[in-house]
Amino acid sequence: LIYCEQGLGDSLQFSRYVELVSQLGARVILEAPKSLTEIFGNLQGISQIIIRGDSLPEFDFYCPLISLPLAFKTNLNSIPSKSAYFKADLGKVDMWEKKLGPKLKPRIGIAWSSTSSFKNDAKRSLLLSDFLKALPNEGYEYVCLQKEIKDCDKATLAARGDIIFFGEDLQTFGDT
């Protein structure tokens, strides 16, 4: 049993290690937040996915996902670096291509802050106005990959016609 005990970003980042566990001969059960189960469904090496909070099947060993780099004695040269360890659902790709419409400029997906109640969130999130200072004002179409926008960012987002916001249309990470 490998379980996601940290935030969503950490879970996405460290999921690259799951395949290494299965290559050791393990039948891997991954417990993950519901919002990640769709995208984790096509990770190589997973035998079963359990939504966090659901009943767990029997297992012999367990490890937090974020501890796998330590278990594999990871260094800078041994970080698993497959070019892609997630695959997009082709049905969703088609749906989002239609929803986005014809591409007239290069598109860039953006996310700048967490929506969590983490008490030190200000140390890891940016204001949209500050984030936008690093982006070119012209030549690109930006797609907001955040489902929720903080109150302090709503006016900035509304003033930028070059940022497409889908909000509730983003149901899972599979939509991004």
Side-chain angles (χ1 to χ4, degrees):
L1 172 70
I2 297 173
Y3 61 96
C4 304
E5 85 290 7
Q6 295 293 320
L8 301 174
D10 289 329
S11 297
L12 288 165
Q13 186 171 195
F14 291 100
S15 65
R16 67 182 69 209
Y17 284 87
V18 170
E19 185 175 3
L20 298 179
V21 177
S22 72
Q23 289 172 355
L24 295 172
R27 180 183 170 276
V28 177
I29 302 165
L30 179 65
E31 182 194 44
K34 183 178 173 103
S35 61
L36 294 178
T37 56
E38 178 185 341
I39 197 167
F40 281 175
N42 59 37
L43 275 174
Q44 293 294 310
I46 294 179
S47 298
Q48 184 177 0
I49 295 181
I50 305 291
I51 296 171
R52 182 185 295 151
D54 286 357
S55 299
L56 294 172
E58 288 188 29
F59 55 89
D60 297 317
F61 303 98
Y62 65 94
C63 183
L65 182 63
I66 203 163
S67 294
L68 291 177
L70 177 64
F72 283 100
K73 298 178 175 66
T74 303
N75 61 43
L76 285 176
N77 297 318
S78 63
I79 297 170
S81 59
K82 274 177 126 173
S83 61
Y85 45 101
F86 297 121
K87 293 182 178 106
D89 174 294
L90 295 179
K92 283 199 171 190
V93 169
D94 185 52
M95 176 191 79
W96 280 103
E97 283 177 347
K98 289 175 183 162
K99 196 175 280 255
L100 285 163
K103 187 192 292 189
L104 305 174
K105 302 177 190 176
R107 289 186 177 132
I108 299 174
I110 60 172
W112 59 91
S113 74
S114 167
T115 57
S116 75
S117 57
F118 178 63
K119 70 178 183 173
N120 288 320
D121 186 55
K123 292 183 177 181
R124 68 176 187 184
S125 293
L126 297 170
L127 293 173
L128 178 56
S129 58
D130 290 335
F131 179 77
L132 292 173
K133 291 175 186 174
L135 301 178
N137 284 331
E138 295 178 10
Y140 297 93
E141 182 177 64
Y142 298 106
V143 180
C144 176
L145 300 178
Q146 295 190 197
K147 182 176 181 172
E148 298 171 23
I149 305 300
K150 292 179 180 173
D151 289 340
C152 59
D153 290 328
K154 288 180 179 176
T156 304
L157 180 63
R160 289 289 299 252
D162 61 336
I163 300 175
I164 302 170
F165 175 62
F166 289 101
E168 292 300 317
D169 289 346
L170 299 173
Q171 295 298 310
T172 69
F173 277 85
D175 288 314
T176 60

